[in-house]
Amino acid sequence: VGVKVLLFNNRIYGLTKGQYSPTSEQGKITKSTPMGSLDNPFNPISLALASGATFVARSLDRDPEHLRGVIKAAFEHKGTSFIEIYQNCNVFNDGAFFTYTEKDTKTENTVVLEHGEPLVFGANRDKGIRLNEFRPEVVSLTNGQYSLEDLIVHDQYAEDRTLAYFLSRMTEVPGLPHPVGIFRSVEHPCYEDLMTQQINAAKKRMGEGDLEALLNAGDMWVVE
């Protein structure tokens, strides 16, 4: 349905005073897990993609220009849009995403997804992501072994979710940058539109209908 979901992920339940959340790291020490969280965290992007979401994206609270563009694209998308936003909680989990949001570390630890473009990152744009069989891996673009032609080229409009899912799992592999941007954006018929079409088709075939007649149709009995 045509709703826009913004998931503010700060890896903590900050508004209720700092309990661990479904996205907290395993071993996280919080008020509700004083010996460390036992759960593996959810991957919101993977979960959305596996659920068949037609618009899935990630952005950063400290990059307002990028976030604005992603929200605009989500607003214009027909259907459900899902955005994960890396958000800092400076009271109960300060710095949880600083590696990916701060100016001096961001370029080396994030890769921006742009449709039709190879996955290149790094302060000097000297690293890329290639697919080694079924595993994304970081390669150097300066040692002569690999070039832009060897890298994954992002396709946010691909109907098949396989590549987008590969990219979503990069956050769980040490040494790989976290992708930010639009993972998937495809057009599917919306539920409310299909429902309207179905109702109109029924009216055309059977008429507008009469609620009072419907309630009094068929077998009836009186309770005294």
Side-chain angles (χ1 to χ4, degrees), residues 115-137:
H115 177 70
E117 297 295 328
L119 270 59
V120 177
F121 72 104
N124 299 312
R125 305 281 292 172
D126 57 349
K127 302 180 184 70
I129 306 294
R130 71 183 286 264
L131 203 58
N132 181 4
E133 295 181 346
F134 295 105
R135 300 186 303 275
E137 68 174 5

Side-chain angles (χ1 to χ4, degrees), residues 50-65:
S51 300
T54 53
F55 185 99
V56 182
R58 176 187 290 133
S59 192
L60 313 166
D61 65 345
R62 297 191 177 220
D63 191 341
E65 183 176 355

Side-chain angles (χ1 to χ4, degrees), residues 18-30:
Q19 301 84 3
Y20 86 109
S21 79
T23 60
S24 294
E25 312 92 310
Q26 190 174 38
K28 184 76 172 179
I29 303 295
T30 73

Side-chain angles (χ1 to χ4, degrees), residues 112-120 125 151-155:
V112 179
L113 303 177
E114 298 179 277
H115 177 70
E117 297 295 328
L119 270 59
V120 177
R125 305 281 292 172
L151 306 183
I152 297 171
V153 176
H154 184 50
D155 182 2

Side-chain angles (χ1 to χ4, degrees), residues 1-16:
V1 296
V3 297
K4 314 304 174 185
V5 180
L6 277 63
L7 172 69
F8 295 95
N9 180 8
N10 51 31
R11 288 180 170 171
I12 201 76
Y13 278 134
L15 293 179
T16 52

Side-chain angles (χ1 to χ4, degrees), residues 16 26 47 62 67-68 73 87 119 127 132 170 184 198 214 216 221:
T16 52
Q26 190 174 38
L47 186 62
R62 297 191 177 220
L67 179 58
R68 182 167 56 247
Q87 181 192 46
L119 270 59
K127 302 180 184 70
N132 181 4
M170 285 172 55
R184 187 176 194 235
Q198 190 179 74
L214 178 64
N216 289 282
W221 61 93

Side-chain angles (χ1 to χ4, degrees), residues 187-199:
E187 293 292 338
H188 284 190
C190 290
Y191 184 89
E192 59 266 37
D193 292 339
L194 295 175
M195 177 63 74
T196 299
Q197 293 171 19
Q198 190 179 74
I199 291 171

